[in-house]
Amino acid sequence: MRGQASIEYLSVISIALALSAPFVIQAQDSIGVIRSDSNAIQLEQSLDRLEVAAETVNAAGEPATRSLRFTVPDTVNSSRIVEERQVRYVLNTPSGTRQVDRTFEFNVSGPVPGNPGRYLLEARADNGTVEVSTVS
């Protein structure tokens, strides 16, 4: 009697696990998408802060400077300034890569952080250009 009950119990558990497997897999995929979106949002918020700082010092002119906190998520693949007016980050996502850009109405120069982490950046007006530099 005990042997039959344990076999029936194992059968019920096996069927339940087999039925729930697709839901578990879907949940894992959803978590990956949420993490990816969270990283992109975090980067976009950092770029928003950079944009505000750059626009402020550009409007004020030389020798205006402004500091800001900038967070680079773990999934960043590359970062660079394109054609002196656009900051471009490429993120790795579960479905490939995603590009996050920020375009300015004025020239921007300097190295933008590309390694994951938190940085203190400084935006400085310099002869019609906004120079971005990493303080720490």
Side-chain angles (χ1 to χ4, degrees), residues 4-5 43 47 69 88-89 92 102 113 127:
Q4 181 180 357
L43 181 59
L47 288 171
R69 292 279 174 201
R88 175 171 294 160
Y89 279 87
N92 293 323
R102 188 59 47 102
N127 198 21

Side-chain angles (χ1 to χ4, degrees), residues 99-111:
Q99 188 172 296
V100 179
D101 294 330
R102 188 59 47 102
T103 304
F104 298 91
E105 295 180 9
F106 44 85
N107 289 344
V108 178
S109 66

